Amino acid sequence: MEAFYDWFRVLYETTGINLPFLYDSYDRDRMFFGFFMTIKLSLVCLFFSIIIGIIGAWLQNSPFKWTRRIMNGYIQLFRNTPPLVQLYFFYFAISSLLPTVSNGYGGQQPILGGFAWAAISLSFFAGAFNVEIFRSGIEAVPRSTIEAAEALGFSRLTIYTHITMPLAIRVALPALNNNLVNLVKTTTLAYAIAVPEMLYEANQIWSDNVNVTEMMFFLLLVYFGLVGVLVWGMNSWERKLKLPGFGA
């Protein structure tokens, strides 16, 4: 393994192509930490944005007028404002209104850190789009199917969780795939509030080594790979769930 690391050091010395995270243990640890932080943030946001989408789509069909209005207001607010502005709003505005806790060094710190606010903000942002995606899938479910379930005495919640949503997901998967891909790419905005994800750590490395070009090529390839894995997984899921008459 040391010979592998030394090869990249020699590459830098002979060609000027500098990839310090491949031969320097300190930079390598920083890059790995940022990589896994990006994966962690992506998974958290993917999970909660889907939950928000499923619950929001159900509330949109609520018999209560104010429930529908609140949900529509949420969708318009998060869909029509930039995600970076939303992130700053949560991190600087909402965070300042919450109580602080002791940091163990005699000072005070916010009760929620940058990672938590990034996860909350990006989940709400993507969740607003997921609500509309699931709503469109729900509307594609034949009314006769729902009426048959009602005739059998199923409750509204049971119909939604066991009949409507399983069919709606099959219709919504292509659009959901696109939104989740955008969400993974949008996690780079967490850099703006110093969440140590991959872009943040890459910035620290290129600031120390003045190798912006190499690091940007590396980031491009890594994100291409991450998104490629997500797309492959979503496409495989779509094929497994495919039913005649539903979905692509």
Side-chain angles (χ1 to χ4, degrees):
M1 187 61 71
E2 286 299 324
F4 175 79
Y5 298 149
D6 289 340
W7 187 87
F8 284 100
R9 190 186 301 276
V10 172
L11 178 69
Y12 169 51
E13 293 172 351
T14 56
T15 67
I17 299 175
N18 190 11
L19 299 169
F21 56 89
L22 292 177
Y23 61 79
D24 183 89
S25 60
Y26 176 65
D27 286 337
R28 185 164 56 250
D29 290 342
R30 287 199 290 183
M31 202 68 252
F32 272 119
F33 182 81
F35 176 75
F36 287 114
M37 181 64 72
T38 291
I39 293 177
K40 179 182 176 182
L41 181 60
S42 298
L43 291 176
V44 170
C45 292
L46 290 173
F47 174 78
F48 283 107
S49 69
I50 291 174
I51 296 299
I52 290 171
I54 292 173
I55 295 175
W58 184 61
L59 293 176
Q60 270 196 319
N61 293 316
S62 170
F64 302 107
K65 178 175 63 177
W66 282 105
T67 302
R68 297 195 302 271
R69 287 183 175 179
I70 291 172
M71 185 52 55
N72 288 332
Y74 155 70
I75 293 170
Q76 296 304 319
L77 176 64
F78 282 88
R79 194 173 60 176
N80 298 341
T81 53
L84 182 58
V85 173
Q86 296 170 19
L87 182 60
Y88 280 157
F89 173 76
F90 279 104
Y91 186 71
F92 292 110
I94 300 300
S95 179
S96 65
L97 301 177
L98 299 179
T100 58
V101 295
S102 174
N103 59 10
Y105 299 97
Q108 297 291 313
Q109 66 182 28
I111 193 170
L112 293 177
F115 179 88
W117 285 121
I120 291 170
S121 176
L122 296 176
S123 295
F124 274 119
F125 169 69
F129 291 90
N130 286 345
V131 170
E132 290 292 275
I133 289 170
F134 285 123
R135 180 188 61 80
S136 65
I138 290 171
E139 291 180 350
V141 176
R143 179 63 191 169
S144 59
T145 303
I146 299 174
E147 290 174 348
E150 291 173 344
L152 292 173
F154 291 170
S155 68
R156 179 171 172 266
L157 180 59
T158 301
I159 293 173
Y160 183 76
T161 56
H162 290 81
I163 299 172
T164 306
M165 184 50 64
L167 294 176
I169 286 177
R170 290 166 167 83
V171 178
L173 268 179
L176 181 65
N177 189 357
N178 290 334
N179 194 42
L180 297 185
V181 165
N182 286 331
L183 175 58
V184 171
K185 295 183 290 185
T186 307
T187 58
T188 54
L189 293 179
Y191 163 88
I193 57 172
V195 175
E197 45 77 59
M198 196 156 50
L199 177 59
Y200 181 89
E201 295 294 355
N203 175 263
Q204 299 300 305
I205 293 174
W206 80 53
S207 296
D208 292 342
N209 298 275
V210 196
N211 62 334
V212 178
T213 302
E214 294 93 328
M215 294 306 301
M216 293 309 299
F217 270 107
F218 172 76
L219 283 176
L220 189 70
L221 293 174
V222 171
Y223 275 105
F224 178 79
L226 280 178
V227 171
V229 170
L230 175 61
V231 170
W232 174 82
M234 292 294 293
N235 288 340
S236 298
W237 189 29
E238 185 177 344
R239 288 192 297 270
K240 290 179 180 178
L241 292 180
K242 188 174 181 180
L243 287 176
F246 291 95

